[in-house]
Amino acid sequence: MVRVHHTFDAVVIGAGTAGLSAFKEIRQHTDNAILVQEGPLGTTCARTACMPSKSLLHTAKLYEERKKFPSNGIHGSEHLHINFPEALKAVRRKRDHFVESTIEGMDSFKEFIVDGRAKFETPTKLRVDDKLFHTRATIIATGSRPVIPSLFKPYKEDVITSDDLFEMRDLPERIAVIGLGPVGMEMAQALSFMGVDVLAINRSESLGHIKDSKINATILRKLNETMEVWLDADYSVEPLDKGYRVCAGNRSKEVDAFFVATGRTPNLDDMGLKQLGVPMDSHGVPHYNARTMQVNGSPIFMAGDVTDERAVLHEASNEGRRAAIHAIYPDKEPTPRYPRLEIIFTEPSIALIGDTAYALRNNGVITGQADFSNQGRAVLEERNHGRIHIYADADDGLLRGAELMCPDGEHIAHFLSLALSRHLTVKHLLEAPFYHPTIEEGLKTACKDALKQLKAA
Amino acid sequence: MVRVHHTFDAVVIGAGTAGLSAFKEIRQHTDNAILVQEGPLGTTCARTACMPSKSLLHTAKLYEERKKFPSNGIHGSEHLHINFPEALKAVRRKRDHFVESTIEGMDSFKEFIVDGRAKFETPTKLRVDDKLFHTRATIIATGSRPVIPSLFKPYKEDVITSDDLFEMRDLPERIAVIGLGPVGMEMAQALSFMGVDVLAINRSESLGHIKDSKINATILRKLNETMEVWLDADYSVEPLDKGYRVCAGNRSKEVDAFFVATGRTPNLDDMGLKQLGVPMDSHGVPHYNARTMQVNGSPIFMAGDVTDERAVLHEASNEGRRAAIHAIYPDKEPTPRYPRLEIIFTEPSIALIGDTAYALRNNGVITGQADFSNQGRAVLEERNHGRIHIYADADDGLLRGAELMCPDGEHIAHFLSLALSRHLTVKHLLEAPFYHPTIEEGLKTACKDALKQLKAA
């Protein structure tokens, strides 16, 4: 069905979340487009990221809850144990379901999917294996892949990334989690809840993308409850007869394997971009306009994780849609980006809303704080660990962002994210009802704390 | 310290949530006020309502989660059992903590608290036992108490209300829960999760204050999973040698005790209101202005559960504050009420936001729907039961309200409640980011469904 020697309105490269979103949007406007995909279908989200990681966290949190049984009159928790192979199998069963749904979602346009690796010959001419395609616009949505630091190259049989973790038949007894970004923190906590002896190592002091030192400290205290954490660690690895010794300064610990989550690199190799002469950054990512997603001065667009920025699904999907619209209608007024929203699904969950780096360095911004150690609902459910900081303009209380680790933090984050996208003030938030007894009352405390500072200002 | 034969600016009757809120607000403006309280201190919320019920639900939900253990590779759940006396003791331990905090919160004004029962002699003269107090304004915040239908009067040793439940040393094996409002549904589910054999009976078809028949059916299906439910039931009770036989039509079931949650009555007896000649409704509640809380044509104000309306803490607290402001400053412009928000903390939780009765009978309102049986995050966490209906004006998409039962519904309710209080449209909601994979994406589905109908209209 695919016509060659013909000019397409658009070619999308990559059938992941961003590419699918772009392609579906394009098909609202034209049938004259194809989707090029190398290798098996199924998104990163469904295969190795969002879905299987949240499944493993679900199992781990379920198991961790047994610790609350004795104080609530529930007997017998000493007989509970988790079988790693079965737990991993359950995760894969769910993952396969989500991968299948993603692929089924492509049924209506599968004759427009071309299997192969795309390479630019000119900005409007693409080679896919032995075929040549002419196109008015191209959207690159090839995603990214985990990077393994060279230090670990010699030990690769014991190095696990998010690409491998959910394929494992069993879990090691002792593991070092390298890198405490979102993926590292989630998996370190999941593994530690399941009973794996976890050493978590981070090169820097800051966890995730958190900028606020008090929130960072709140997270660190929680992680420390179930694992050993080394921050700011310049570590080395030494192989032993059985396992490895990891050292940093005068600390040392033996482990059996490594879960490496130090970062990802965009899949842009061998695409011929360099030969096109498009301007690029040091990671080989072309400069592009973050609103139109267009690569400066060319009919090429970027979307999703390949941009090496905001690698989260709702952004990938939104970027795909925006890239598609601007690829088809170059003169269309660009739509605004979402305010930044990042959630880490630990227990309690962590979130970052808005431009918190800006908020924290700006003197005209105040911080409304709430601590959860004595928060009603949190105490009642024995999960009274956490902290919310909201940032607002000192003069009018306009919400600028928030950082938090608190029970049900993922939901508090959506509430604040709606507020941010509607340019609400702290006073607006306090005009809405906060039900009792809820975690949202903790947010109310932070809002009231901010309001007091506004009045004082 | 309390001065008699002197005219107070205000007297507050009742040191519950509404009365405390009123009294604290009054003290921002004047010291010339007293708080009259009969009997021990501590709010209904902390003693017998919000806090102990949520504690029992917490224990019950913890125990219920064991059912997910086998499919996630967690072995040994067959050895778990719950010890009722210990579970109830744990609930009381937490409850006592919250009662104490409430009482500690009164420390700063305890010399202004008068112990005794207040009775009006004139609209500005109150008798408290042998003392007479003159006052410019009075706020009645005496709360309410459970009502036991006369049918159960002969069996009172086996009739439990929310006043008694948390005082019990053990739980019956079989119980009939009478009345499926918020309290009835929460406690019926908690008891059934804990392994009590529950028969739940409701006089009408509708559960809680739910108006939407599809949401009602979603709730009913969930309740039916762990208990027997009789709706629209004209039931009778017959005592047996051991326990009772409950019958309705050709259905019958034996139980050991009754948890009666058929309603509450305002504590207005013997207050002398009738003699004052203030206009009253058939329940003896004086007619009052819902914005100023003032009883028509008199210097008397109402706040909290005694109003026999919106018996939830955030309203009681807000009503107390509004009554106080209008008691002190009669000419002050009234502040708007909160949009209606009701949450029932079952699993999944139930919520009602806004004036859904209006929305459902109005032809100009469309319904955006989402079902959770195949919702990503809900499937992943094995809690894929639920439904969200949002109601919006057909012409411009202005949000009018919502009814829902869904996982984390209490948080979705706060999100929608903020939207309602800011007069947002469905399109506004879709301009905010929805993170993946979250329950909020289910709400997004409902918003998109609504948007489609707007476009079609």
Side-chain angles (χ1 to χ4, degrees):
Chain A
M1 282 298 294
V2 171
R3 296 154 296 175
V4 288
H5 306 303
H6 156 92
T7 301
F8 289 104
D9 289 332
V11 172
V12 177
I13 310 175
T17 299
L20 286 171
S21 166
F23 195 67
K24 285 176 192 165
E25 179 65 38
I26 287 168
R27 287 179 53 77
Q28 308 269 323
H29 310 282
T30 173
D31 279 344
N32 185 26
I34 53 169
L35 176 58
V36 181
Q37 163 69 12
E38 186 190 14
L41 295 175
T43 62
T44 298
C45 158
R47 278 196 181 285
T48 66
C50 320
M51 300 319 259
S53 66
K54 261 40 102 196
S55 292
L56 193 72
L57 275 164
H58 167 61
T59 302
K61 289 175 191 174
L62 261 184
Y63 188 54
E64 181 73 2
E65 286 290 271
R66 77 192 183 287
K67 295 182 182 167
K68 296 180 183 169
F69 286 177
S71 63
N72 284 284
I74 303 169
H75 291 240
S77 58
E78 68 278 15
H79 298 293
L80 294 172
H81 72 274
I82 188 160
N83 178 301
F84 292 157
E86 287 180 32
L88 289 163
K89 215 165 162 180
V91 168
R92 281 193 292 276
R93 201 183 317 120
K94 287 184 199 165
R95 180 207 52 190
D96 293 346
H97 163 78
F98 292 114
V99 171
E100 275 160 34
S101 319
T102 316
I103 296 175
E104 276 165 24
M106 304 182 195
D107 265 1
S108 66
F109 50 81
K110 63 179 174 215
E111 74 257 43
F112 297 96
I113 302 177
V114 176
D115 183 14
R117 166 171 285 215
K119 187 171 178 165
F120 285 96
E121 300 221 325
T122 76
T124 57
K125 199 161 75 181
L126 282 162
R127 174 170 296 283
V128 178
D129 302 327
D130 60 344
K131 296 187 218 73
L132 257 186
F133 297 100
H134 295 263
T135 178
R136 290 187 186 91
T138 303
I139 296 172
I140 303 175
T142 46
S144 65
R145 61 181 186 278
V147 179
I148 299 172
S150 54
L151 170 66
F152 294 101
K153 293 273 156 76
Y155 318 122
K156 66 170 179 258
E157 70 275 23
D158 292 316
V159 170
I160 305 158
T161 69
S162 55
D163 280 355
D164 323 308
L165 179 61
F166 311 108
E167 295 303 330
M168 293 178 74
R169 303 295 128 169
D170 202 351
L171 292 174
E173 270 177 49
R174 307 168 301 175
I175 200 165
V177 172
I178 312 293
L180 292 175
V183 177
M185 281 199 277
E186 287 183 358
M187 292 303 97
Q189 200 188 46
L191 295 170
S192 72
F193 280 3
M194 291 169 77
V196 176
D197 182 3
V198 174
L199 166 65
I201 303 181
N202 206 36
R203 285 264 184 213
S204 81
E205 284 276 352
S206 66
L207 299 161
H209 303 116
I210 290 298
K211 299 280 177 278
D212 191 313
S213 60
K214 273 171 107 171
I215 302 295
N216 207 66
T218 302
I219 299 169
L220 179 60
R221 269 201 311 282
K222 184 66 197 178
L223 295 180
N224 267 323
E225 284 179 13
T226 56
M227 67 188 84
E228 186 168 339
V229 184
W230 298 354
L231 296 189
D232 218 356
D234 191 13
Y235 59 91
S236 63
V237 170
E238 174 197 343
L240 305 172
D241 284 349
K242 181 185 179 313
Y244 303 85
R245 178 175 294 118
V246 188
C247 298
N250 48 19
R251 293 168 296 189
S252 110
K253 193 169 159 70
E254 292 182 17
V255 301
D256 302 309
F258 305 95
F259 178 74
V260 175
T262 46
R264 299 175 70 88
T265 190
N267 294 326
L268 286 169
D269 328 66
D270 306 323
M271 289 194 72
L273 281 168
K274 214 171 265 172
Q275 295 88 307
L276 298 187
V278 297
M280 290 176 173
D281 70 14
S282 59
H283 296 92
V285 180
H287 294 184
Y288 68 96
N289 176 321
R291 297 182 74 188
T292 63
M293 307 310 290
Q294 185 165 8
V295 172
N296 296 355
S298 91
I300 299 172
F301 297 75
M302 311 275 290
D305 292 0
V306 73
T307 63
D308 207 18
E309 217 218 322
R310 294 198 184 184
V312 294
L313 182 131
H314 70 275
E315 292 284 356
S317 174
N318 183 259
E319 286 169 6
R321 207 157 47 240
R322 279 188 287 133
I325 288 168
H326 294 292
I328 302 287
Y329 305 111
D331 298 329
K332 187 115 179 173
E333 185 65 24
T335 50
R337 299 178 77 180
Y338 289 133
R340 186 170 174 193
L341 171 61
E342 274 187 53
I343 296 174
I344 305 178
F345 295 85
T346 46
E347 180 57 44
S349 44
I350 300 165
L352 184 158
I353 304 106
D355 186 352
T356 61
Y358 162 86
L360 284 161
R361 70 169 179 263
N362 192 308
N363 284 334
V365 174
I366 50 114
T367 302
Q369 308 193 13
D371 173 79
F372 277 76
S373 56
N374 203 25
Q375 203 270 342
R377 179 70 175 278
V379 166
L380 193 151
E381 294 181 348
E382 298 150 285
R383 44 182 191 147
N384 48 328
H385 181 96
R387 193 161 193 92
I388 296 180
H389 282 191
I390 61 169
Y391 315 110
D393 282 351
D395 52 350
D396 58 3
L398 181 73
L399 191 70
R400 285 293 185 168
E403 291 193 357
L404 59 86
M405 171 184 241
C406 72
D408 291 319
E410 57 178 295
H411 306 296
I412 302 294
H414 277 90
F415 185 97
L416 286 169
S417 181
L418 174 64
L420 202 64
S421 80
R422 298 319 306 164
H423 311 289
L424 300 187
T425 65
V426 165
K427 202 159 161 281
H428 290 145
L429 297 189
L430 288 169
E431 284 165 9
F434 288 81
Y435 211 82
H436 181 73
T438 61
I439 292 297
E440 277 77 2
E441 293 176 299
L443 173 59
K444 186 180 184 181
T445 302
C447 291
K448 281 174 136 179
D449 183 50
L451 192 68
K452 228 164 42 194
Q453 297 174 60
L454 293 185
K455 281 180 180 160
Chain B
M1 282 298 293
V2 170
R3 297 154 295 174
V4 288
H5 306 302
H6 156 93
T7 300
F8 288 104
D9 289 332
V11 173
V12 177
I13 310 175
T17 298
L20 286 171
S21 167
F23 195 67
K24 285 176 192 165
E25 179 65 38
I26 287 168
R27 287 179 52 78
Q28 308 270 323
H29 310 282
T30 173
D31 278 344
N32 185 26
I34 52 169
L35 176 58
V36 181
Q37 163 69 12
E38 185 191 15
L41 295 175
T43 62
T44 298
C45 159
R47 278 196 181 284
T48 66
C50 319
M51 300 319 259
S53 66
K54 262 39 103 194
S55 292
L56 193 72
L57 275 164
H58 168 61
T59 302
K61 289 175 190 174
L62 262 184
Y63 188 55
E64 181 73 2
E65 286 291 271
R66 78 193 184 287
K67 295 182 181 167
K68 296 180 183 169
F69 286 177
S71 63
N72 284 285
I74 303 170
H75 292 240
S77 58
E78 68 278 15
H79 299 292
L80 294 172
H81 71 274
I82 189 161
N83 178 302
F84 292 157
E86 286 180 33
L88 288 163
K89 215 165 161 180
V91 168
R92 280 193 292 276
R93 201 182 318 119
K94 287 184 199 164
R95 181 208 50 193
D96 292 347
H97 163 78
F98 291 114
V99 171
E100 276 160 33
S101 320
T102 315
I103 295 175
E104 276 165 24
M106 305 184 195
D107 265 1
S108 67
F109 51 80
K110 63 180 174 213
E111 74 256 44
F112 297 96
I113 302 177
V114 176
D115 184 14
R117 165 171 285 216
K119 187 170 177 165
F120 285 96
E121 300 220 326
T122 76
T124 57
K125 199 162 76 181
L126 282 162
R127 174 170 296 283
V128 178
D129 301 328
D130 60 343
K131 297 188 217 71
L132 257 186
F133 297 99
H134 294 263
T135 178
R136 289 186 187 92
T138 302
I139 297 172
I140 303 175
T142 45
S144 65
R145 62 183 186 278
V147 179
I148 299 173
S150 54
L151 170 67
F152 294 101
K153 293 273 156 78
Y155 318 122
K156 65 170 180 258
E157 71 275 22
D158 291 316
V159 170
I160 305 159
T161 69
S162 55
D163 280 356
D164 323 308
L165 180 61
F166 310 108
E167 295 303 330
M168 293 178 74
R169 304 295 128 169
D170 201 351
L171 292 174
E173 270 178 49
R174 307 168 300 175
I175 200 165
V177 172
I178 312 294
L180 292 175
V183 177
M185 281 199 276
E186 287 183 358
M187 292 303 96
Q189 201 188 46
L191 295 170
S192 72
F193 281 3
M194 292 169 76
V196 175
D197 182 3
V198 174
L199 165 65
I201 303 181
N202 206 36
R203 286 264 184 212
S204 82
E205 284 276 352
S206 67
L207 299 161
H209 302 115
I210 291 298
K211 299 279 177 279
D212 192 313
S213 60
K214 273 171 106 171
I215 301 296
N216 207 65
T218 302
I219 299 169
L220 179 60
R221 269 201 311 282
K222 185 66 196 177
L223 295 180
N224 266 323
E225 284 180 14
T226 56
M227 67 189 84
E228 186 168 339
V229 184
W230 298 354
L231 296 189
D232 218 357
D234 191 13
Y235 59 91
S236 63
V237 170
E238 175 198 343
L240 304 173
D241 284 348
K242 182 185 179 312
Y244 303 85
R245 178 175 294 118
V246 188
C247 298
N250 48 20
R251 293 168 295 190
S252 111
K253 194 170 159 69
E254 291 182 17
V255 301
D256 301 309
F258 305 95
F259 178 75
V260 174
T262 46
R264 298 175 70 89
T265 190
N267 294 325
L268 286 169
D269 327 67
D270 306 323
M271 289 194 72
L273 280 168
K274 213 170 266 173
Q275 294 88 307
L276 298 187
V278 297
M280 290 176 173
D281 70 13
S282 59
H283 296 92
V285 180
H287 294 185
Y288 68 96
N289 176 322
R291 298 182 73 188
T292 62
M293 307 311 289
Q294 184 165 8
V295 172
N296 295 356
S298 90
I300 299 172
F301 297 76
M302 311 276 290
D305 292 359
V306 74
T307 63
D308 206 18
E309 217 218 321
R310 294 198 185 185
V312 294
L313 182 131
H314 70 275
E315 292 284 356
S317 174
N318 183 259
E319 286 169 7
R321 207 157 47 242
R322 279 188 287 133
I325 288 169
H326 294 293
I328 302 286
Y329 305 111
D331 298 329
K332 187 115 178 171
E333 184 65 23
T335 50
R337 299 178 77 179
Y338 289 133
R340 186 171 173 191
L341 171 62
E342 274 187 54
I343 297 175
I344 305 178
F345 295 85
T346 46
E347 179 57 43
S349 44
I350 300 165
L352 184 158
I353 304 106
D355 186 352
T356 61
Y358 163 85
L360 283 161
R361 70 169 179 263
N362 192 308
N363 284 334
V365 174
I366 51 113
T367 302
Q369 309 193 13
D371 173 79
F372 278 75
S373 57
N374 203 25
Q375 204 271 342
R377 180 70 175 278
V379 167
L380 193 152
E381 295 181 348
E382 298 150 284
R383 44 182 191 147
N384 49 328
H385 180 96
R387 192 161 193 92
I388 296 181
H389 283 191
I390 61 169
Y391 315 110
D393 281 351
D395 52 350
D396 57 3
L398 180 74
L399 191 69
R400 286 292 185 168
E403 291 192 358
L404 59 87
M405 171 185 241
C406 73
D408 291 319
E410 56 178 293
H411 306 296
I412 302 294
H414 277 90
F415 185 97
L416 286 169
S417 182
L418 174 64
L420 202 64
S421 80
R422 299 318 307 163
H423 310 289
L424 300 187
T425 65
V426 165
K427 203 159 162 281
H428 289 146
L429 298 189
L430 288 168
E431 283 165 9
F434 288 80
Y435 211 81
H436 181 73
T438 61
I439 293 297
E440 277 78 1
E441 293 176 299
L443 173 59
K444 186 180 184 180
T445 302
C447 290
K448 282 174 134 178
D449 183 50
L451 191 68
K452 226 164 43 194
Q453 297 174 60
L454 293 185
K455 280 180 179 161

